[in-house]
Amino acid sequence: SQGGDAARARRYYAEALAVFEALGAERSVAAVVHNLAEAEFLAGDAEAAVRLESDALAAFRALNHTHYVSYALVNMTAALVNMAAILVTLARYDEARAHAREALDLSRELQLYVFSARTLQHLAAIAALRHPCDAERAVEEYTRAARLLGFAGARLAALGVSQERTGQAEYERAVAVLRNALGFELAQLITSGATMTEHDAIEEALR
């Protein structure tokens, strides 16, 4: 069962963490804390996940000032993408957007295309879910969100990457809001978003 798998993963990572901490293996500690955060998130404990991922991110930032720079940058990107997803789940949209923007900068610089696509989906979800008070602004946000969802979905499919379970849940939440707000226009906007270039999608996301 998924619950049993999550419990086993947590137990395994907790045991590994104790070993690596005792050895003073900083890289391995950071990686295991990141993996443990993902396990908690999959298990449905977003509060625990955000605490752990914050610790992992701090550890990867510290490693970025050592001779492990390449390792640290890739894993910083992964942690930032995951933080954005967790913060969206917690409805902490401003923090989620800040982490997503940093993840997008790094993933572009490092040419990590899967991370870029996942980050664009997180930015789309933020635009869809944070409910702007101003009606005109809301239409702009919903339109942008729909186009970005279209791009992110098409990009992941082109890269041969399946949607993660938490990513699928985020996608479905965003689509439900957008369908209610945009009606039949939603499908058209998703289709048009799928034809955007990555450059155009990023520009749209950061407006």
Side-chain angles (χ1 to χ4, degrees), residues 89-160:
T89 297
L90 293 170
R92 290 161 56 176
Y93 299 122
D94 289 342
E95 292 171 81
R97 184 171 173 80
H99 283 81
R101 289 183 70 120
E102 187 179 356
L104 197 54
D105 286 342
L106 279 172
S107 60
R108 290 169 72 190
E109 180 184 335
L110 300 170
Q111 299 184 332
L112 300 170
Y113 301 117
V114 172
F115 285 151
S116 293
R118 292 201 191 286
T119 302
L120 286 166
Q121 177 177 303
H122 298 328
L123 287 165
I126 292 163
L129 298 171
R130 66 178 171 184
H131 305 304
C133 297
D134 179 78
E136 185 175 332
R137 176 69 174 165
V139 172
E140 290 177 10
E141 290 282 283
Y142 292 147
T143 299
R144 177 161 69 251
R147 284 169 53 79
L148 289 173
L149 283 180
F151 173 82
R155 184 68 161 153
L156 288 171
L159 292 167

Side-chain angles (χ1 to χ4, degrees), residues 52 82 132 183:
L52 287 161
N82 206 37

Side-chain angles (χ1 to χ4, degrees), residues 5 14 30 32 54 56 68 74 80 106 111 122 127-128 135 150-152 186 204:
D5 290 344
V32 171
S54 181
Y68 299 123
V74 171
L80 285 162
L106 279 172
Q111 299 184 332
H122 298 328
F151 173 82
L186 174 59
E204 184 126 335

Side-chain angles (χ1 to χ4, degrees), residues 19-40:
V19 171
F20 290 132
E21 284 178 336
L23 293 172
E26 293 178 342
R27 279 197 307 167
S28 297
V29 167
V32 171
V33 172
H34 169 64
N35 289 335
L36 187 53
E38 289 191 322
E40 293 288 3

